[in-house]
Amino acid sequence: MIRAIRSELVRVRRSWPMLVVAMVLAAVATATTFSATGGGSGSRGGSSTSETATATATAAQALTGSGGIVAGLATVAPILGLLTLVLWGSSVARDFQTGAIRVLLVTQSRRGVYFAGKLIALLALTATLAMAATSVAVGTALLLAPGKDISTTSWTIAAVGSGLFNTLVGMLAWGAIGTVLAAATRSVATAIAGGLGYLVLGEKLIALAWSSASDWLPGGVITNVFNGGGTTPYVQSLLMVLGVVVLAVAASLAVVVRRDVTD
């Protein structure tokens, strides 16, 4: 197992640019979220309409709550999920496309151990991405709050932990979906295009005919977890997302273990 994990870590370390991308996106999303509050004397200018002033006041009020410290993180979380789908899907599919799976199975003949090692390494990288994005989002929020007249007295470490947990769980769900598609298709392009197409566009089309689609389909419940709740209770959405992760990983493992690698 340790050998399998180490082997995958050596390969995924080349994905470090994603860490930079995640941090930049977190900073931009947080700055954009705080810019909606206006700031300082600019938000009191006479040129603002009453509707704009009301929206600005509402945004500022929301940021003073305990979750305000990770408000930007919730905004960028879906994009982090897309990055995770690409990362996991390409990692799994590339082994089959390049034929590397045959070499890997020579050093580790037990496919279940090989696959578990890969997932653990990808989990470690995903957790690093989530923690880096959270740290940057929190740091940016603390930096911008004084200039925007946002009170930080209600901001708590618990809210940061909750935001990190929700982001990580959602990212893992996207990654698991990318994994099962990659294991089934053995194609990087197909796995990524299929996952993004369904989660970004497919569910929106389904929602046109089924108004409650976001309460039950993977993309919708993952979004609910990212946001810490939605149209369905948070616990219900969380359990459904964890179910998606378990089912996707189990299906991927079954394909990897039972399917001929020469197919």
Side-chain angles (χ1 to χ4, degrees), residues 16-248:
W16 65 265
M18 282 194 173
L19 181 63
V20 177
V21 171
M23 296 170 69
V24 171
L25 289 175
V28 171
T30 302
T32 302
T33 300
F34 275 76
S35 69
T37 66
S41 60
S43 63
R44 294 188 288 271
S47 62
S48 298
T49 63
S50 58
E51 291 83 2
T52 302
T54 300
T56 299
T58 301
Q61 182 64 31
L63 292 177
T64 61
S66 62
I69 191 171
V70 289
L73 185 62
T75 302
V76 77
I79 302 178
L80 297 179
L82 294 177
L83 290 177
T84 309
L85 184 148
V86 172
L87 175 64
W88 288 45
S90 60
S91 177
V92 173
R94 190 176 294 115
D95 283 353
F96 293 98
Q97 269 191 323
T98 62
I101 182 68
R102 301 174 190 174
V103 177
L104 293 170
L105 291 180
V106 169
T107 59
Q108 177 50 261
S109 60
R110 291 179 295 176
R111 297 188 186 187
V113 174
Y114 145 76
F115 192 65
K118 174 180 283 291
L119 293 185
I120 291 173
L122 290 172
L123 171 59
L125 180 58
T126 303
T128 301
L129 291 175
M131 289 187 288
T134 301
S135 298
V136 170
V138 170
T140 305
L142 292 172
L143 183 64
L144 296 179
K148 298 294 183 178
D149 296 328
I150 302 296
S151 172
T152 62
T153 56
S154 297
W155 290 3
T156 63
I157 295 297
V160 176
S162 178
L164 172 59
F165 175 78
N166 292 338
T167 300
L168 179 57
V169 170
M171 290 173 68
L172 292 178
W174 282 75
I177 291 172
T179 297
V180 71
L181 290 173
T185 65
R186 300 189 174 186
S187 166
V188 174
T190 303
I192 294 175
L196 296 184
Y198 170 74
L199 292 170
V200 175
L201 180 60
E203 287 197 5
K204 288 183 174 58
L205 296 178
I206 295 174
L208 295 177
W210 181 21
S211 60
S212 300
S214 61
D215 296 339
W216 300 101
L217 296 181
V221 294
I222 292 172
T223 298
N224 287 341
V225 170
F226 277 145
N227 294 331
T231 54
T232 58
Y234 170 74
V235 174
Q236 177 181 328
S237 296
L238 177 61
L239 291 175
M240 292 177 68
V241 169
L242 293 176
V244 168
V245 173
V246 172
L247 289 175

